[in-house]
Amino acid sequence: MGALNFNERPILVFWESTRACLLACKHCRAEAIAQPMPGELSTEEGFRFIESLTAFGRPYPVLIITGGDALMRDDIFELVAKARSLEIPVGIAPSVTPRLTDEHIQKLLDLGIKVVSLSLDGATAKTHEGVRGISGHFADTVLALRRLVKAGFDVQVNTAVMRDNVRELPALAELLTEIGVKIWEVFFLIHVGRGKDSQEISATECEDVSHLLFEASGYGITVRTVEAPFFRRVVAERKAADPQQEATTLQIFKQFHLSPLYMELSMDLRSRLGPQTTTPKAQTSGTRDGKGIIFISHDGTVYPAGFLPLPLGNVRTENTADIYRHHPTLQAIRSGQFDGKCGVCEYHDACGGSRSRAFSYTGNPLATDPSCIYEPRNIVLSTT
Protein backbone atom coordinates (compact mmCIF):
# COMPACT_ATOMS: atom_id res chain seq x y z
CA MET A 1 0.00 0.00 0.00
CA GLY A 2 1.35 3.40 -0.95
CA ALA A 3 1.48 6.48 1.19
CA LEU A 4 -1.87 7.84 2.30
CA ASN A 5 -3.11 11.06 0.75
CA PHE A 6 -3.81 13.19 3.83
CA ASN A 7 -5.87 15.58 1.71
CA GLU A 8 -8.39 12.78 1.20
CA ARG A 9 -8.40 10.89 4.48
CA PRO A 10 -6.92 10.98 7.97
CA ILE A 11 -5.11 8.14 9.64
CA LEU A 12 -6.84 8.74 12.96
CA VAL A 13 -10.29 9.99 13.91
CA PHE A 14 -10.53 10.80 17.61
CA TRP A 15 -14.02 10.70 19.09
CA GLU A 16 -14.48 12.16 22.54
CA SER A 17 -17.47 9.90 23.05
CA THR A 18 -18.28 11.39 26.46
CA ARG A 19 -16.93 13.88 28.94
CA ALA A 20 -18.12 11.79 31.84
CA CYS A 21 -15.16 10.61 33.92
CA LEU A 22 -14.48 9.74 37.55
CA LEU A 23 -11.08 11.48 37.47
CA ALA A 24 -10.24 15.18 37.63
CA CYS A 25 -6.86 15.43 35.92
CA LYS A 26 -5.49 18.94 36.08
CA HIS A 27 -4.18 19.07 32.50
CA CYS A 28 -7.27 17.57 30.80
CA ARG A 29 -8.83 19.54 27.93
CA ALA A 30 -12.27 18.48 29.20
CA GLU A 31 -13.93 19.69 32.37
CA ALA A 32 -14.64 16.09 33.26
CA ILE A 33 -17.81 15.24 35.20
CA ALA A 34 -19.35 12.11 36.65
CA GLN A 35 -22.41 12.25 34.36
CA PRO A 36 -22.81 12.74 30.59
CA MET A 37 -23.12 16.35 29.50
CA PRO A 38 -26.24 17.57 27.72
CA GLY A 39 -25.91 17.25 23.96
CA GLU A 40 -23.80 14.08 23.97
CA LEU A 41 -24.34 12.07 20.79
CA SER A 42 -26.98 9.40 21.31
CA THR A 43 -26.44 5.78 20.37
CA GLU A 44 -28.20 6.27 17.02
CA GLU A 45 -26.25 9.47 16.33
CA GLY A 46 -23.08 7.60 17.22
CA PHE A 47 -23.99 4.88 14.74
CA ARG A 48 -24.57 7.46 11.99
CA PHE A 49 -21.27 9.17 12.75
CA ILE A 50 -19.42 5.85 12.61
CA GLU A 51 -21.11 4.98 9.31
CA SER A 52 -20.01 8.35 7.91
CA LEU A 53 -16.37 7.33 8.27
CA THR A 54 -16.79 4.87 5.40
CA ALA A 55 -17.09 7.92 3.08
CA PHE A 56 -13.33 8.32 3.42
CA GLY A 57 -12.93 5.09 1.47
CA ARG A 58 -10.48 2.32 2.16
CA PRO A 59 -8.25 2.07 4.01
CA TYR A 60 -10.64 3.44 6.59
CA PRO A 61 -9.14 5.66 9.30
CA VAL A 62 -8.67 4.20 12.75
CA LEU A 63 -11.41 5.33 15.13
CA ILE A 64 -9.94 6.15 18.54
CA ILE A 65 -12.72 6.30 21.13
CA THR A 66 -11.72 8.55 24.00
CA GLY A 67 -13.34 10.65 26.73
CA GLY A 68 -13.66 11.54 29.51
CA ASP A 69 -13.77 7.83 30.06
CA ALA A 70 -15.16 5.87 27.12
CA LEU A 71 -16.28 3.13 29.51
CA MET A 72 -18.69 5.60 31.13
CA ARG A 73 -20.95 5.18 28.08
CA ASP A 74 -23.41 2.35 28.66
CA ASP A 75 -23.51 1.73 24.90
CA ILE A 76 -19.74 1.67 24.37
CA PHE A 77 -19.64 -1.98 23.30
CA GLU A 78 -22.53 -1.46 20.86
CA LEU A 79 -20.63 1.44 19.31
CA VAL A 80 -17.43 -0.59 19.00
CA ALA A 81 -19.37 -3.49 17.52
CA LYS A 82 -20.92 -1.15 14.94
CA ALA A 83 -17.50 0.09 13.84
CA ARG A 84 -16.06 -3.41 13.67
CA SER A 85 -19.07 -4.61 11.61
CA LEU A 86 -18.07 -1.99 9.03
CA GLU A 87 -14.42 -3.14 9.23
CA ILE A 88 -13.35 0.18 10.75
CA PRO A 89 -10.37 -0.43 13.04
CA VAL A 90 -10.90 0.79 16.60
CA GLY A 91 -8.66 1.76 19.48
CA ILE A 92 -9.92 2.81 22.89
CA ALA A 93 -8.61 5.06 25.65
CA PRO A 94 -10.39 4.25 28.92
CA SER A 95 -9.57 5.68 32.32
CA VAL A 96 -8.27 3.53 35.15
CA THR A 97 -11.40 3.34 37.30
CA PRO A 98 -13.53 0.49 38.71
CA ARG A 99 -15.16 0.28 35.26
CA LEU A 100 -11.98 -1.23 33.78
CA THR A 101 -12.99 -4.73 34.84
CA ASP A 102 -11.71 -8.06 33.58
CA GLU A 103 -15.13 -8.57 31.98
CA HIS A 104 -14.88 -5.31 30.06
CA ILE A 105 -11.31 -6.08 29.02
CA GLN A 106 -12.46 -9.42 27.62
CA LYS A 107 -15.33 -7.75 25.74
CA LEU A 108 -12.88 -5.37 24.08
CA LEU A 109 -10.74 -8.32 23.04
CA ASP A 110 -13.73 -10.23 21.72
CA LEU A 111 -14.73 -7.23 19.60
CA GLY A 112 -11.33 -7.21 17.90
CA ILE A 113 -9.73 -4.19 19.56
CA LYS A 114 -5.97 -4.53 19.44
CA VAL A 115 -4.74 -1.26 20.96
CA VAL A 116 -5.74 0.13 24.35
CA SER A 117 -4.15 3.24 25.80
CA LEU A 118 -3.92 4.35 29.42
CA SER A 119 -2.43 7.50 30.92
CA LEU A 120 0.55 7.45 33.27
CA ASP A 121 2.03 10.82 34.15
CA GLY A 122 4.88 9.94 36.46
CA ALA A 123 7.20 7.20 37.63
CA THR A 124 6.11 7.66 41.25
CA ALA A 125 2.77 7.65 43.02
CA LYS A 126 3.32 11.20 44.29
CA THR A 127 3.78 12.64 40.83
CA HIS A 128 1.12 10.65 38.98
CA GLU A 129 -1.49 11.10 41.69
CA GLY A 130 -0.68 14.79 41.91
CA VAL A 131 -1.91 14.98 38.31
CA ARG A 132 -4.77 12.48 38.50
CA GLY A 133 -6.16 13.57 41.83
CA ILE A 134 -6.92 10.13 43.28
CA SER A 135 -4.97 8.34 46.00
CA GLY A 136 -3.78 4.88 44.99
CA HIS A 137 -4.24 5.58 41.28
CA PHE A 138 -0.57 4.99 40.41
CA ALA A 139 -0.60 1.40 41.67
CA ASP A 140 -3.98 0.82 40.03
CA THR A 141 -2.64 2.09 36.70
CA VAL A 142 0.49 -0.04 36.78
CA LEU A 143 -1.64 -3.09 37.62
CA ALA A 144 -4.07 -2.25 34.79
CA LEU A 145 -1.19 -1.96 32.33
CA ARG A 146 0.09 -5.39 33.35
CA ARG A 147 -3.42 -6.86 32.99
CA LEU A 148 -3.80 -5.42 29.49
CA VAL A 149 -0.37 -6.63 28.38
CA LYS A 150 -1.11 -10.10 29.74
CA ALA A 151 -4.47 -10.11 27.93
CA GLY A 152 -2.66 -9.62 24.63
CA PHE A 153 -3.34 -5.99 23.71
CA ASP A 154 -0.77 -3.72 22.15
CA VAL A 155 -0.68 -1.35 25.09
CA GLN A 156 0.01 2.35 24.70
CA VAL A 157 0.84 4.71 27.54
CA ASN A 158 0.00 8.39 27.25
CA THR A 159 2.14 10.81 29.26
CA ALA A 160 1.74 14.57 29.54
CA VAL A 161 5.14 16.25 30.00
CA MET A 162 5.22 19.14 32.46
CA ARG A 163 7.64 20.70 34.91
CA ASP A 164 6.42 18.44 37.70
CA ASN A 165 7.38 15.22 35.92
CA VAL A 166 9.99 16.01 33.28
CA ARG A 167 12.85 14.62 35.38
CA GLU A 168 10.99 11.33 35.86
CA LEU A 169 10.89 10.52 32.14
CA PRO A 170 13.92 8.17 32.25
CA ALA A 171 12.46 6.25 35.21
CA LEU A 172 9.11 6.12 33.43
CA ALA A 173 10.77 4.74 30.29
CA GLU A 174 12.37 2.04 32.44
CA LEU A 175 9.02 1.14 33.99
CA LEU A 176 7.21 0.96 30.65
CA THR A 177 9.83 -1.28 29.06
CA GLU A 178 9.71 -3.58 32.08
CA ILE A 179 5.91 -3.85 31.86
CA GLY A 180 6.02 -4.57 28.12
CA VAL A 181 4.28 -1.46 26.84
CA LYS A 182 4.48 -1.24 23.04
CA ILE A 183 3.87 2.48 22.43
CA TRP A 184 4.72 5.57 24.46
CA GLU A 185 2.80 8.65 23.33
CA VAL A 186 4.13 11.79 24.94
CA PHE A 187 1.98 14.90 24.99
CA PHE A 188 3.74 18.26 25.28
CA LEU A 189 1.38 20.28 27.44
CA ILE A 190 -0.61 23.20 26.02
CA HIS A 191 -2.64 25.81 27.91
CA VAL A 192 -6.10 24.38 27.21
CA GLY A 193 -8.90 23.62 29.68
CA ARG A 194 -7.59 22.66 33.12
CA GLY A 195 -4.14 22.55 31.50
CA LYS A 196 -4.08 26.33 31.98
CA ASP A 197 -3.17 25.68 35.58
CA SER A 198 -0.24 23.42 34.70
CA GLN A 199 3.32 24.28 33.83
CA GLU A 200 4.45 23.96 30.23
CA ILE A 201 8.12 23.27 29.73
CA SER A 202 10.12 25.86 27.80
CA ALA A 203 11.08 25.65 24.13
CA THR A 204 14.66 24.77 25.11
CA GLU A 205 13.39 22.01 27.39
CA CYS A 206 11.13 20.74 24.58
CA GLU A 207 14.27 20.26 22.48
CA ASP A 208 16.05 18.43 25.31
CA VAL A 209 13.07 16.15 25.92
CA SER A 210 12.77 15.38 22.19
CA HIS A 211 16.36 14.14 22.14
CA LEU A 212 15.73 12.09 25.27
CA LEU A 213 12.63 10.51 23.71
CA PHE A 214 14.56 9.60 20.57
CA GLU A 215 17.04 7.73 22.76
CA ALA A 216 14.23 6.06 24.74
CA SER A 217 12.88 4.66 21.47
CA GLY A 218 16.03 2.55 21.21
CA TYR A 219 14.83 0.18 23.93
CA GLY A 220 12.08 -1.69 22.10
CA ILE A 221 9.27 0.82 22.60
CA THR A 222 7.76 2.94 19.83
CA VAL A 223 7.76 6.62 20.82
CA ARG A 224 5.55 9.25 19.30
CA THR A 225 4.57 12.73 20.36
CA VAL A 226 1.42 14.84 20.52
CA GLU A 227 1.66 18.60 19.92
CA ALA A 228 5.40 18.25 19.39
CA PRO A 229 5.85 17.53 15.68
CA PHE A 230 9.33 19.05 15.90
CA PHE A 231 10.26 15.65 17.38
CA ARG A 232 10.37 14.41 13.76
CA ARG A 233 13.05 16.97 12.92
CA VAL A 234 15.06 15.83 15.93
CA VAL A 235 14.73 12.20 14.80
CA ALA A 236 15.90 13.09 11.28
CA GLU A 237 18.84 15.11 12.61
CA ARG A 238 19.93 12.39 15.02
CA LYS A 239 19.74 9.64 12.42
CA ALA A 240 21.70 11.71 9.90
CA ALA A 241 24.38 12.71 12.41
CA ASP A 242 24.91 9.30 14.01
CA PRO A 243 23.52 6.42 11.89
CA GLN A 244 24.93 3.75 14.22
CA GLN A 245 23.70 5.54 17.39
CA GLU A 246 27.15 5.33 18.97
CA ALA A 247 27.55 8.93 20.14
CA THR A 248 27.82 9.59 23.86
CA THR A 249 25.54 11.88 25.82
CA LEU A 250 28.30 14.48 25.99
CA GLN A 251 28.86 14.33 22.22
CA ILE A 252 25.15 14.83 21.52
CA PHE A 253 24.98 17.63 24.08
CA LYS A 254 27.78 19.52 22.33
CA GLN A 255 26.77 18.75 18.75
CA PHE A 256 23.18 19.92 19.14
CA HIS A 257 23.86 22.71 21.64
CA LEU A 258 21.47 21.27 24.20
CA SER A 259 20.92 22.37 27.78
CA PRO A 260 21.98 20.68 31.04
CA LEU A 261 18.51 19.13 31.32
CA TYR A 262 19.31 16.88 28.35
CA MET A 263 22.56 15.77 30.01
CA GLU A 264 20.70 14.90 33.20
CA LEU A 265 17.92 12.99 31.43
CA SER A 266 20.13 11.13 28.97
CA MET A 267 22.65 10.02 31.58
CA ASP A 268 19.82 8.84 33.83
CA LEU A 269 18.24 6.87 30.98
CA ARG A 270 21.51 5.20 30.02
CA SER A 271 22.33 4.36 33.63
CA ARG A 272 18.95 2.66 34.00
CA LEU A 273 18.69 0.81 30.68
CA GLY A 274 22.27 0.52 29.46
CA PRO A 275 23.17 0.49 25.74
CA GLN A 276 20.26 0.73 23.31
CA THR A 277 18.80 -2.66 22.45
CA THR A 278 17.05 -1.89 19.15
CA THR A 279 17.14 0.53 16.25
CA PRO A 280 15.25 3.64 17.44
CA LYS A 281 11.50 3.20 16.90
CA ALA A 282 10.43 6.83 16.73
CA GLN A 283 7.33 7.54 14.68
CA THR A 284 7.97 10.11 11.96
CA SER A 285 4.81 10.21 9.81
CA GLY A 286 4.06 13.78 8.77
CA THR A 287 0.71 14.16 10.53
CA ARG A 288 -0.37 17.16 12.56
CA ASP A 289 -3.55 18.79 13.80
CA GLY A 290 -5.93 18.66 10.83
CA LYS A 291 -3.50 16.69 8.65
CA GLY A 292 -4.04 12.98 9.06
CA ILE A 293 -5.91 13.71 12.30
CA ILE A 294 -9.41 14.97 13.07
CA PHE A 295 -11.28 15.26 16.38
CA ILE A 296 -14.99 14.97 17.14
CA SER A 297 -16.24 16.20 20.50
CA HIS A 298 -18.95 14.67 22.69
CA ASP A 299 -21.61 16.85 21.04
CA GLY A 300 -20.50 16.13 17.47
CA THR A 301 -18.52 19.33 16.92
CA VAL A 302 -15.52 18.76 14.64
CA TYR A 303 -12.12 20.26 15.47
CA PRO A 304 -8.69 19.93 13.83
CA ALA A 305 -7.49 18.25 17.03
CA GLY A 306 -8.49 17.81 20.64
CA PHE A 307 -6.36 20.72 21.78
CA LEU A 308 -7.29 23.10 18.99
CA PRO A 309 -10.70 24.55 19.98
CA LEU A 310 -11.58 25.90 16.54
CA PRO A 311 -14.98 24.50 15.47
CA LEU A 312 -15.23 23.37 11.86
CA GLY A 313 -18.74 21.90 11.71
CA ASN A 314 -20.84 19.21 13.33
CA VAL A 315 -21.36 15.57 12.40
CA ARG A 316 -25.05 15.87 13.24
CA THR A 317 -25.60 18.02 10.15
CA GLU A 318 -22.52 17.50 7.97
CA ASN A 319 -20.52 14.58 6.65
CA THR A 320 -17.22 14.05 8.47
CA ALA A 321 -15.32 13.41 5.25
CA ASP A 322 -16.66 16.58 3.63
CA ILE A 323 -15.55 18.69 6.60
CA TYR A 324 -12.10 17.12 6.63
CA ARG A 325 -11.53 17.46 2.90
CA HIS A 326 -13.04 20.86 2.20
CA HIS A 327 -12.80 23.14 5.22
CA PRO A 328 -10.46 26.01 4.25
CA THR A 329 -8.59 26.01 7.58
CA LEU A 330 -7.76 22.32 7.22
CA GLN A 331 -6.72 22.83 3.61
CA ALA A 332 -4.38 25.63 4.70
CA ILE A 333 -2.91 23.47 7.47
CA ARG A 334 -2.33 20.53 5.13
CA SER A 335 -0.70 22.69 2.46
CA GLY A 336 1.62 24.30 4.99
CA GLN A 337 0.40 27.87 4.62
CA PHE A 338 2.04 28.94 7.88
CA ASP A 339 3.22 32.33 9.07
CA GLY A 340 6.71 33.10 10.31
CA LYS A 341 9.50 30.58 10.40
CA CYS A 342 7.15 27.58 10.23
CA GLY A 343 6.16 28.77 6.74
CA VAL A 344 9.71 28.77 5.39
CA CYS A 345 11.16 25.88 7.36
CA GLU A 346 12.56 22.97 5.38
CA TYR A 347 10.66 20.70 7.77
CA HIS A 348 7.32 22.42 7.18
CA ASP A 349 5.77 19.28 5.69
CA ALA A 350 7.27 16.62 7.97
CA CYS A 351 6.72 18.82 11.03
CA GLY A 352 4.67 21.95 10.48
CA GLY A 353 4.65 22.84 14.16
CA SER A 354 1.87 22.42 16.69
CA ARG A 355 -1.16 24.19 15.30
CA SER A 356 -2.84 23.89 18.71
CA ARG A 357 -0.02 25.66 20.51
CA ALA A 358 0.15 28.35 17.84
CA PHE A 359 -3.58 28.94 18.28
CA SER A 360 -3.31 28.94 22.08
CA TYR A 361 -0.67 31.65 22.04
CA THR A 362 -1.85 33.81 19.14
CA GLY A 363 -5.41 32.90 18.21
CA ASN A 364 -4.10 31.97 14.75
CA PRO A 365 -3.83 28.25 13.90
CA LEU A 366 -1.36 29.06 11.12
CA ALA A 367 1.13 30.97 13.32
CA THR A 368 4.59 29.78 14.28
CA ASP A 369 4.85 27.16 17.02
CA PRO A 370 6.48 29.01 19.96
CA SER A 371 7.89 25.79 21.45
CA CYS A 372 10.27 25.08 18.57
CA ILE A 373 13.74 26.62 18.89
CA TYR A 374 14.91 25.56 15.43
CA GLU A 375 15.97 28.31 13.04
CA PRO A 376 15.33 27.19 9.44
CA ARG A 377 18.34 27.20 7.14
CA ASN A 378 16.48 28.97 4.36
CA ILE A 379 15.21 31.98 6.30
CA VAL A 380 16.07 35.13 4.37
CA LEU A 381 16.25 38.15 6.62
CA SER A 382 14.72 41.23 5.04
CA THR A 383 16.94 44.27 4.86
CA THR A 384 14.11 46.60 3.97
Side-chain angles (χ1 to χ4, degrees):
M1 183 179 69
L4 287 177
N5 180 355
F6 291 143
N7 289 317
E8 291 296 316
R9 61 174 58 82
I11 294 177
L12 301 173
V13 174
F14 292 90
W15 179 24
E16 177 195 58
S17 60
T18 183
R19 285 196 171 183
C21 184
L22 299 178
L23 305 181
C25 308
K26 64 183 181 181
H27 64 265
C28 185
R29 66 174 173 265
E31 301 294 334
I33 56 175
Q35 299 296 327
M37 292 184 68
E40 182 175 291
L41 293 184
S42 68
T43 302
E44 288 303 319
E45 289 171 326
F47 286 166
R48 288 196 294 272
F49 157 63
I50 291 169
E51 289 169 353
S52 77
L53 300 183
T54 62
F56 283 114
R58 295 180 185 272
Y60 297 142
V62 179
L63 175 62
I64 307 295
I65 304 179
T66 72
D69 178 7
L71 292 180
M72 292 289 282
R73 285 195 65 126
D74 293 334
D75 60 359
I76 183 61
F77 299 109
E78 296 174 64
L79 294 167
V80 172
K82 176 66 173 181
R84 297 302 298 132
S85 73
L86 297 171
E87 300 183 346
I88 295 173
V90 179
I92 193 166
S95 297
V96 177
T97 75
R99 286 187 173 249
L100 191 61
T101 62
D102 288 340
E103 179 185 1
H104 286 169
I105 288 173
Q106 187 59 50
K107 281 186 177 181
L108 295 175
L109 271 175
D110 293 343
L111 287 167
I113 288 184
K114 294 182 172 59
V115 179
V116 175
S117 63
L118 300 181
S119 293
L120 184 60
D121 288 313
T124 64
K126 179 180 178 180
T127 300
H128 174 77
E129 291 166 17
V131 173
R132 297 286 150 180
I134 294 182
S135 178
H137 197 260
F138 176 79
D140 289 345
T141 300
V142 171
L143 177 60
L145 289 170
R146 296 189 189 280
R147 289 163 58 208
L148 291 167
V149 169
K150 184 177 180 180
F153 291 102
D154 289 342
V155 177
Q156 172 179 313
V157 163
N158 305 323
T159 300
V161 178
M162 59 193 82
R163 292 199 180 281
D164 290 344
N165 70 359
V166 67
R167 285 178 165 79
E168 291 186 15
L169 292 177
L172 189 51
E174 180 184 33
L175 176 61
L176 300 188
T177 55
E178 183 270 318
I179 292 172
V181 168
K182 292 286 185 69
I183 304 163
W184 190 16
E185 186 162 279
V186 183
F187 165 53
F188 285 52
L189 203 62
I190 293 177
H191 291 312
V192 176
R194 278 197 294 270
K196 292 180 179 179
D197 298 327
S198 302
Q199 293 181 319
E200 284 184 273
I201 60 176
S202 69
T204 297
E205 291 166 333
C206 285
E207 193 77 0
D208 294 336
V209 170
S210 294
H211 281 268
L212 179 279
L213 293 177
F214 172 74
E215 292 170 9
S217 75
Y219 295 94
I221 188 168
T222 297
V223 176
R224 56 193 187 208
T225 58
V226 177
E227 303 307 345
F230 42 79
F231 176 60
R232 298 165 198 152
R233 167 185 52 79
V234 169
V235 171
E237 291 176 328
R238 288 290 298 267
K239 287 183 175 180
D242 183 20
Q244 302 303 316
Q245 309 305 314
E246 295 176 339
T248 65
T249 292
L250 182 58
Q251 288 170 330
I252 296 298
F253 170 77
K254 291 180 177 179
Q255 181 174 1
F256 292 98
H257 310 289
L258 301 174
S259 86
L261 176 64
Y262 163 74
M263 286 284 290
E264 177 185 341
L265 296 178
S266 179
M267 291 177 68
D268 188 11
L269 182 74
R270 295 184 190 219
S271 69
R272 291 174 180 277
L273 294 176
Q276 292 185 334
T277 58
T278 63
T279 300
K281 299 166 69 176
Q283 191 178 59
T284 56
S285 61
T287 58
R288 55 177 168 266
D289 305 337
K291 179 188 176 187
I293 292 168
I294 199 74
F295 179 89
I296 289 79
S297 74
H298 70 287
D299 64 0
T301 305
V302 180
Y303 299 94
F307 297 91
L308 208 175
L310 185 67
L312 308 172
N314 194 292
V315 300
R316 282 187 163 113
T317 57
E318 301 167 79
N319 184 276
T320 311
D322 288 340
I323 296 172
Y324 178 84
R325 288 169 177 164
H326 303 305
H327 196 283
T329 297
L330 299 186
Q331 290 178 336
I333 287 173
R334 291 196 292 268
S335 60
Q337 298 175 31
F338 307 130
D339 299 337
K341 68 179 186 180
C342 281
V344 298
C345 182
E346 61 270 29
Y347 294 100
H348 83 280
D349 187 51
C351 170
S354 167
R355 300 299 99 216
S356 295
R357 188 173 291 106
F359 183 81
S360 175
Y361 275 76
T362 70
N364 177 9
L366 302 177
T368 289
D369 182 351
S371 286
C372 180
I373 66 170
Y374 182 71
E375 290 298 325
R377 290 195 298 267
N378 53 351
I379 282 183
V380 178
L381 297 178
S382 174
T383 58
T384 60

